[in-house]
């Protein structure tokens, strides 16, 4: 079955450092992959989408890579700030039952300390 | 742009009653909407996919007679939890896919508590 794995442990880093979050997927080949941020008690907020033919995508302090050979995506936040503290969800897209749908990882909780 | 709203944001109901949750795409048309539920400290679990004007497609293990989904227009989908029980208490989140068919935008979620 399709499976998504993200760092299960919380990631604690110092303000100003770069945070790197990992997403590995198995048993399928997504056409694209999306990253979301979720704060407690709130719905996910879309951050970035990267397609299978794109190696890297950037948006302000965010950078996402997509390695279809390793079946892995890395999500980087540079110059991290305490306001970046949240849970980050990886969601590769797959096709099941004739429909495109996102399959979510469990998320990685990031805590940026001043 | 790309705002999805949900109403209500939280609801408390008695066991055995039904609750309706609305999901609207405010500034774009969405041919496809999705309903998820999320338990504390767990990931989002897809419940069903709804396409405007047709029947929803439910994920395995989700009771279609209990979770009624209606997608009557390109900007509105509703989820009705029928005969709610305490085990239905959860955080329900909808999302809408834009017409380009790629990015999914999520609503703020509805906290349902069944007493």
């Amino acid at each position: 079955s399709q499976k998504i794995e993200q760092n299960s442990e919380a990631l604690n880093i110092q303000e100003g450092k770069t945070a790197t979050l990992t997403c590995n997927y198995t048993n399928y080949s997504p056409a694209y992959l999306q990253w979301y941020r979720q704060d407690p008690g709130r719905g996910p907020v879309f951050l970035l989408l990267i397609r299978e033919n794109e190696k890297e995508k950037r948006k302000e302090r965010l950078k996402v890579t997509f390695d279809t050979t390793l079946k892995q995506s890395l999500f980087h936040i540079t110059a991290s700030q305490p306001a970046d503290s949240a849970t980050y969800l990886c969601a590769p897209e797959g096709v099941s039952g004739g429909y495109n749908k996102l399959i979510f990882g469990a998320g990685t909780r990031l805590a940026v300390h001043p | 742009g790309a705002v999805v709203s949900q109403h209500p944001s939280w609801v408390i109901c008695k066991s055995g009653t039904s609750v309706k949750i609305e999901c609207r795409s405010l500034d774009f048309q969405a041919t496809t909407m999705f309903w998820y539920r999320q338990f504390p400290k767990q990931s989002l679990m897809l419940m069903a996919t709804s396409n405007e004007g047709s029947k929803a497609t439910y994920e395995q293990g989700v009771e279609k007679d209990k979770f009624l989904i209606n997608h009557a227009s390109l900007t509105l989908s509703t989820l009705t939890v029928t005969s709610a029980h305490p085990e239905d208490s959860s955080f329900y989140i909808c999302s809408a896919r834009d017409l380009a068919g790629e990015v999914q935008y999520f609503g703020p979620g509805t906290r349902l508590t069944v007493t």
Side-chain angles (χ1 to χ4, degrees), chain B residues 57-76:
Chain B
T57 301
Y58 290 81
E59 294 299 300
Q60 195 170 12
V62 178
E63 299 175 58
K64 61 180 66 176
D65 294 330
K66 181 169 185 60
F67 299 100
L68 301 179
I69 291 171
N70 184 278
H71 191 162
S73 77
L74 284 173
T75 58
L76 173 64

Side-chain angles (χ1 to χ4, degrees), chain A residues 32 34 36 38 41-46 49 51 89 93 96-97 99-102 104-107, chain B residues 34 36 38 42-44 46 49 51 57 59 91 93 97 101-109 111:
Chain A
Y32 44 90
Q34 302 184 39
Y36 291 81
Q38 187 176 27
R42 304 290 295 173
V45 174
F46 171 73
L49 179 152
R51 297 182 178 79
L89 304 172
E93 181 116 358
S96 175
Y99 290 97
N100 285 5
K101 60 181 182 181
L102 294 181
F104 279 89
Chain B
F34 304 85
Y36 295 80
Q38 186 176 35
Q42 293 187 25
S43 188
L44 282 75
L46 180 64
T49 301
N51 289 292
T57 301
E59 294 299 300
F91 191 50
I93 314 172
R97 176 177 281 152
E102 293 184 335
V103 179
Q104 275 183 228
Y105 299 97
F106 284 80
R111 174 74 58 194

